[in-house]
mmCIF file of all heavy atoms in Angstrom:
data_model
loop_
_atom_site.group_PDB
_atom_site.id
_atom_site.type_symbol
_atom_site.label_atom_id
_atom_site.label_comp_id
_atom_site.label_asym_id
_atom_site.label_seq_id
_atom_site.Cartn_x
_atom_site.Cartn_y
_atom_site.Cartn_z
ATOM 1 N N ILE A 147 -5.859 -0.735 -22.548
ATOM 2 C CA ILE A 147 -5.294 -2.012 -22.101
ATOM 3 C C ILE A 147 -3.982 -1.798 -21.361
ATOM 4 O O ILE A 147 -3.729 -2.408 -20.322
ATOM 5 C CB ILE A 147 -5.085 -2.967 -23.299
ATOM 6 C CG1 ILE A 147 -6.407 -3.225 -24.018
ATOM 7 C CG2 ILE A 147 -4.453 -4.269 -22.841
ATOM 8 C CD1 ILE A 147 -7.513 -3.746 -23.130
ATOM 9 N N ASN A 151 -3.389 -2.966 -17.459
ATOM 10 C CA ASN A 151 -2.298 -3.855 -17.049
ATOM 11 C C ASN A 151 -1.419 -3.182 -16.000
ATOM 12 O O ASN A 151 -0.967 -3.813 -15.039
ATOM 13 C CB ASN A 151 -1.441 -4.242 -18.259
ATOM 14 C CG ASN A 151 -2.185 -5.130 -19.239
ATOM 15 O OD1 ASN A 151 -3.194 -5.745 -18.902
ATOM 16 N ND2 ASN A 151 -1.698 -5.189 -20.468
ATOM 17 N N ARG A 155 -0.924 -4.420 -11.977
ATOM 18 C CA ARG A 155 0.390 -4.895 -11.541
ATOM 19 C C ARG A 155 0.975 -4.046 -10.410
ATOM 20 O O ARG A 155 1.733 -4.550 -9.583
ATOM 21 C CB ARG A 155 1.362 -4.870 -12.717
ATOM 22 C CG ARG A 155 1.211 -6.061 -13.653
ATOM 23 C CD ARG A 155 2.556 -6.322 -14.336
ATOM 24 N NE ARG A 155 2.511 -7.548 -15.118
ATOM 25 C CZ ARG A 155 2.361 -7.587 -16.429
ATOM 26 N NH1 ARG A 155 2.216 -6.469 -17.100
ATOM 27 N NH2 ARG A 155 2.357 -8.732 -17.071
ATOM 28 N N PRO A 179 1.270 -11.267 -9.868
ATOM 29 C CA PRO A 179 2.008 -11.042 -11.124
ATOM 30 C C PRO A 179 1.339 -11.679 -12.334
ATOM 31 O O PRO A 179 1.523 -11.226 -13.465
ATOM 32 C CB PRO A 179 3.375 -11.690 -10.846
ATOM 33 C CG PRO A 179 3.141 -12.638 -9.713
ATOM 34 C CD PRO A 179 2.058 -12.042 -8.894
ATOM 35 N N ASP A 180 0.548 -12.723 -12.120
ATOM 36 C CA ASP A 180 -0.099 -13.421 -13.228
ATOM 37 C C ASP A 180 -1.501 -12.854 -13.429
ATOM 38 O O ASP A 180 -2.476 -13.343 -12.854
ATOM 39 C CB ASP A 180 -0.155 -14.921 -12.941
ATOM 40 C CG ASP A 180 -0.745 -15.713 -14.106
ATOM 41 O OD1 ASP A 180 -0.786 -15.169 -15.223
ATOM 42 O OD2 ASP A 180 -1.167 -16.862 -13.887
ATOM 43 N N ILE A 181 -1.615 -11.798 -14.230
ATOM 44 C CA ILE A 181 -2.911 -11.136 -14.399
ATOM 45 C C ILE A 181 -3.658 -11.590 -15.647
ATOM 46 O O ILE A 181 -4.837 -11.251 -15.827
ATOM 47 C CB ILE A 181 -2.735 -9.601 -14.445
ATOM 48 C CG1 ILE A 181 -1.895 -9.198 -15.662
ATOM 49 C CG2 ILE A 181 -2.125 -9.087 -13.166
ATOM 50 C CD1 ILE A 181 -1.807 -7.689 -15.863
ATOM 51 N N PHE A 182 -3.004 -12.352 -16.515
ATOM 52 C CA PHE A 182 -3.620 -12.760 -17.781
ATOM 53 C C PHE A 182 -4.120 -14.204 -17.697
ATOM 54 O O PHE A 182 -3.578 -15.000 -16.945
ATOM 55 C CB PHE A 182 -2.617 -12.627 -18.932
ATOM 56 C CG PHE A 182 -1.997 -11.269 -19.050
ATOM 57 C CD1 PHE A 182 -0.644 -11.079 -18.762
ATOM 58 C CD2 PHE A 182 -2.754 -10.174 -19.436
ATOM 59 C CE1 PHE A 182 -0.065 -9.834 -18.867
ATOM 60 C CE2 PHE A 182 -2.183 -8.933 -19.548
ATOM 61 C CZ PHE A 182 -0.836 -8.750 -19.259
ATOM 62 N N PRO A 183 -5.139 -14.568 -18.512
ATOM 63 C CA PRO A 183 -5.945 -13.681 -19.376
ATOM 64 C C PRO A 183 -7.111 -13.097 -18.583
ATOM 65 O O PRO A 183 -7.474 -13.604 -17.527
ATOM 66 C CB PRO A 183 -6.434 -14.649 -20.451
ATOM 67 C CG PRO A 183 -6.587 -15.952 -19.718
ATOM 68 C CD PRO A 183 -5.498 -15.990 -18.686
ATOM 69 N N TYR A 184 -7.709 -12.053 -19.121
ATOM 70 C CA TYR A 184 -8.909 -11.489 -18.507
ATOM 71 C C TYR A 184 -9.755 -10.818 -19.569
ATOM 72 O O TYR A 184 -9.302 -10.581 -20.700
ATOM 73 C CB TYR A 184 -8.550 -10.506 -17.395
ATOM 74 C CG TYR A 184 -7.822 -9.240 -17.831
ATOM 75 C CD1 TYR A 184 -8.531 -8.130 -18.307
ATOM 76 C CD2 TYR A 184 -6.430 -9.142 -17.739
ATOM 77 C CE1 TYR A 184 -7.872 -6.968 -18.686
ATOM 78 C CE2 TYR A 184 -5.760 -7.985 -18.110
ATOM 79 C CZ TYR A 184 -6.488 -6.894 -18.585
ATOM 80 O OH TYR A 184 -5.839 -5.742 -18.960
ATOM 81 N N LEU A 185 -10.979 -10.523 -19.203
ATOM 82 C CA LEU A 185 -11.907 -9.825 -20.086
ATOM 83 C C LEU A 185 -12.111 -8.420 -19.539
ATOM 84 O O LEU A 185 -12.392 -8.252 -18.352
ATOM 85 C CB LEU A 185 -13.256 -10.562 -20.123
ATOM 86 C CG LEU A 185 -14.199 -10.240 -21.301
ATOM 87 C CD1 LEU A 185 -13.603 -10.774 -22.597
ATOM 88 C CD2 LEU A 185 -15.573 -10.873 -21.060
ATOM 89 N N LEU A 186 -11.933 -7.418 -20.390
ATOM 90 C CA LEU A 186 -12.189 -6.037 -19.983
ATOM 91 C C LEU A 186 -13.445 -5.551 -20.688
ATOM 92 O O LEU A 186 -13.518 -5.542 -21.917
ATOM 93 C CB LEU A 186 -10.998 -5.140 -20.353
ATOM 94 C CG LEU A 186 -11.188 -3.647 -20.039
ATOM 95 C CD1 LEU A 186 -11.374 -3.409 -18.539
ATOM 96 C CD2 LEU A 186 -10.014 -2.822 -20.561
ATOM 97 N N VAL A 196 -13.117 -6.601 -24.567
ATOM 98 C CA VAL A 196 -11.768 -6.909 -25.033
ATOM 99 C C VAL A 196 -11.207 -8.098 -24.265
ATOM 100 O O VAL A 196 -11.234 -8.127 -23.031
ATOM 101 C CB VAL A 196 -10.824 -5.696 -24.849
ATOM 102 C CG1 VAL A 196 -9.466 -5.973 -25.478
ATOM 103 C CG2 VAL A 196 -11.443 -4.439 -25.449
ATOM 104 N N LYS A 197 -10.693 -9.074 -25.005
ATOM 105 C CA LYS A 197 -9.995 -10.202 -24.409
ATOM 106 C C LYS A 197 -8.506 -9.867 -24.368
ATOM 107 O O LYS A 197 -7.906 -9.572 -25.402
ATOM 108 C CB LYS A 197 -10.230 -11.465 -25.234
ATOM 109 C CG LYS A 197 -9.499 -12.689 -24.704
ATOM 110 C CD LYS A 197 -9.719 -13.887 -25.626
ATOM 111 C CE LYS A 197 -8.958 -15.111 -25.130
ATOM 112 N NZ LYS A 197 -9.132 -16.269 -26.042
ATOM 113 N N VAL A 198 -7.922 -9.878 -23.167
ATOM 114 C CA VAL A 198 -6.513 -9.519 -22.990
ATOM 115 C C VAL A 198 -5.744 -10.774 -22.592
ATOM 116 O O VAL A 198 -6.020 -11.378 -21.552
ATOM 117 C CB VAL A 198 -6.342 -8.426 -21.921
ATOM 118 C CG1 VAL A 198 -4.885 -7.979 -21.848
ATOM 119 C CG2 VAL A 198 -7.255 -7.244 -22.221
ATOM 120 N N GLU A 199 -4.774 -11.175 -23.438
ATOM 121 C CA GLU A 199 -4.028 -12.407 -23.209
ATOM 122 C C GLU A 199 -2.601 -12.176 -22.734
ATOM 123 O O GLU A 199 -1.994 -13.040 -22.117
ATOM 124 C CB GLU A 199 -4.012 -13.249 -24.478
ATOM 125 C CG GLU A 199 -5.402 -13.696 -24.931
ATOM 126 C CD GLU A 199 -5.345 -14.568 -26.173
ATOM 127 O OE1 GLU A 199 -4.971 -15.748 -26.034
ATOM 128 O OE2 GLU A 199 -5.660 -14.055 -27.265
ATOM 129 N N SER A 200 -2.043 -11.012 -23.029
ATOM 130 C CA SER A 200 -0.690 -10.691 -22.587
ATOM 131 C C SER A 200 -0.530 -9.176 -22.661
ATOM 132 O O SER A 200 -1.470 -8.450 -22.983
ATOM 133 C CB SER A 200 0.365 -11.385 -23.455
ATOM 134 O OG SER A 200 0.371 -10.829 -24.764
ATOM 135 N N GLU A 201 0.680 -8.720 -22.379
ATOM 136 C CA GLU A 201 0.930 -7.274 -22.377
ATOM 137 C C GLU A 201 0.607 -6.640 -23.722
ATOM 138 O O GLU A 201 0.077 -5.539 -23.796
ATOM 139 C CB GLU A 201 2.404 -7.030 -22.030
ATOM 140 C CG GLU A 201 2.721 -5.587 -21.665
ATOM 141 C CD GLU A 201 2.087 -5.148 -20.357
ATOM 142 O OE1 GLU A 201 2.184 -5.883 -19.375
ATOM 143 O OE2 GLU A 201 1.484 -4.053 -20.347
ATOM 144 N N ASP A 202 0.893 -7.339 -24.799
ATOM 145 C CA ASP A 202 0.711 -6.771 -26.134
ATOM 146 C C ASP A 202 -0.292 -7.536 -26.998
ATOM 147 O O ASP A 202 -0.496 -7.185 -28.160
ATOM 148 C CB ASP A 202 2.060 -6.721 -26.871
ATOM 149 C CG ASP A 202 3.080 -5.866 -26.138
ATOM 150 O OD1 ASP A 202 2.736 -4.718 -25.800
ATOM 151 O OD2 ASP A 202 4.187 -6.358 -25.881
ATOM 152 N N LYS A 203 -0.903 -8.559 -26.438
ATOM 153 C CA LYS A 203 -1.847 -9.347 -27.228
ATOM 154 C C LYS A 203 -3.251 -9.187 -26.666
ATOM 155 O O LYS A 203 -3.548 -9.646 -25.561
ATOM 156 C CB LYS A 203 -1.447 -10.823 -27.227
ATOM 157 C CG LYS A 203 -2.316 -11.676 -28.159
ATOM 158 C CD LYS A 203 -1.862 -13.131 -28.151
ATOM 159 C CE LYS A 203 -2.739 -13.963 -29.078
ATOM 160 N NZ LYS A 203 -2.336 -15.405 -29.075
ATOM 161 N N TYR A 204 -4.087 -8.516 -27.420
ATOM 162 C CA TYR A 204 -5.477 -8.327 -27.010
ATOM 163 C C TYR A 204 -6.337 -8.229 -28.260
ATOM 164 O O TYR A 204 -5.861 -7.945 -29.359
ATOM 165 C CB TYR A 204 -5.629 -7.073 -26.144
ATOM 166 C CG TYR A 204 -5.245 -5.796 -26.848
ATOM 167 C CD1 TYR A 204 -6.180 -5.072 -27.588
ATOM 168 C CD2 TYR A 204 -3.938 -5.318 -26.785
ATOM 169 C CE1 TYR A 204 -5.828 -3.902 -28.252
ATOM 170 C CE2 TYR A 204 -3.572 -4.151 -27.436
ATOM 171 C CZ TYR A 204 -4.524 -3.456 -28.172
ATOM 172 O OH TYR A 204 -4.169 -2.307 -28.831
ATOM 173 N N GLU A 205 -7.635 -8.444 -28.063
ATOM 174 C CA GLU A 205 -8.548 -8.436 -29.204
ATOM 175 C C GLU A 205 -9.924 -7.953 -28.752
ATOM 176 O O GLU A 205 -10.445 -8.417 -27.730
ATOM 177 C CB GLU A 205 -8.665 -9.853 -29.775
ATOM 178 C CG GLU A 205 -9.639 -9.970 -30.946
ATOM 179 C CD GLU A 205 -9.855 -11.414 -31.378
ATOM 180 O OE1 GLU A 205 -9.284 -12.327 -30.734
ATOM 181 O OE2 GLU A 205 -10.609 -11.619 -32.342
ATOM 182 N N ARG A 206 -10.474 -7.030 -29.517
ATOM 183 C CA ARG A 206 -11.853 -6.612 -29.248
ATOM 184 C C ARG A 206 -12.761 -7.695 -29.832
ATOM 185 O O ARG A 206 -12.867 -7.852 -31.034
ATOM 186 C CB ARG A 206 -12.163 -5.261 -29.894
ATOM 187 C CG ARG A 206 -13.547 -4.708 -29.517
ATOM 188 C CD ARG A 206 -13.841 -3.400 -30.236
ATOM 189 N NE ARG A 206 -15.072 -2.773 -29.751
ATOM 190 C CZ ARG A 206 -16.308 -3.069 -30.177
ATOM 191 N NH1 ARG A 206 -16.464 -4.013 -31.118
ATOM 192 N NH2 ARG A 206 -17.361 -2.458 -29.674
ATOM 193 N N ILE A 207 -13.406 -8.443 -28.945
ATOM 194 C CA ILE A 207 -14.180 -9.596 -29.393
ATOM 195 C C ILE A 207 -15.677 -9.302 -29.470
ATOM 196 O O ILE A 207 -16.453 -10.144 -29.920
ATOM 197 C CB ILE A 207 -13.947 -10.807 -28.468
ATOM 198 C CG1 ILE A 207 -14.299 -10.450 -27.021
ATOM 199 C CG2 ILE A 207 -12.515 -11.293 -28.581
ATOM 200 C CD1 ILE A 207 -14.190 -11.622 -26.070
ATOM 201 N N HIS A 309 -15.126 -17.670 -24.231
ATOM 202 C CA HIS A 309 -13.660 -17.664 -24.285
ATOM 203 C C HIS A 309 -13.024 -18.269 -23.031
ATOM 204 O O HIS A 309 -11.821 -18.100 -22.808
ATOM 205 C CB HIS A 309 -13.161 -16.232 -24.499
ATOM 206 C CG HIS A 309 -13.518 -15.665 -25.837
ATOM 207 N ND1 HIS A 309 -12.688 -15.784 -26.933
ATOM 208 C CD2 HIS A 309 -14.630 -15.004 -26.273
ATOM 209 C CE1 HIS A 309 -13.261 -15.210 -27.983
ATOM 210 N NE2 HIS A 309 -14.438 -14.720 -27.612
ATOM 211 N N LEU A 311 -13.099 -17.559 -19.822
ATOM 212 C CA LEU A 311 -12.465 -16.595 -18.924
ATOM 213 C C LEU A 311 -13.271 -16.488 -17.631
ATOM 214 O O LEU A 311 -14.504 -16.496 -17.654
ATOM 215 C CB LEU A 311 -12.363 -15.226 -19.585
ATOM 216 C CG LEU A 311 -11.501 -15.170 -20.862
ATOM 217 C CD1 LEU A 311 -11.626 -13.814 -21.535
ATOM 218 C CD2 LEU A 311 -10.042 -15.464 -20.538
ATOM 219 N N ARG A 313 -12.242 -14.109 -15.070
ATOM 220 C CA ARG A 313 -12.095 -12.763 -14.508
ATOM 221 C C ARG A 313 -12.577 -11.725 -15.511
ATOM 222 O O ARG A 313 -12.061 -11.654 -16.626
ATOM 223 C CB ARG A 313 -10.633 -12.487 -14.148
ATOM 224 C CG ARG A 313 -10.164 -13.182 -12.887
ATOM 225 C CD ARG A 313 -8.698 -12.929 -12.644
ATOM 226 N NE ARG A 313 -7.864 -13.550 -13.665
ATOM 227 C CZ ARG A 313 -6.548 -13.544 -13.660
ATOM 228 N NH1 ARG A 313 -5.892 -12.919 -12.700
ATOM 229 N NH2 ARG A 313 -5.851 -14.123 -14.618
#
Side-chain angles (χ1 to χ4, degrees):
I147 301 305
N151 292 341
R155 280 207 173 101
D180 183 18
I181 63 174
F182 306 111
Y184 65 84
L185 198 68
L186 177 62
V196 186
K197 178 183 178 182
V198 185
E199 298 182 76
S200 69
E201 194 68 47
D202 300 309
K203 186 179 180 181
Y204 61 89
E205 178 187 3
R206 186 183 188 276
I207 57 176
H309 293 269
L311 298 172
R313 285 177 293 184

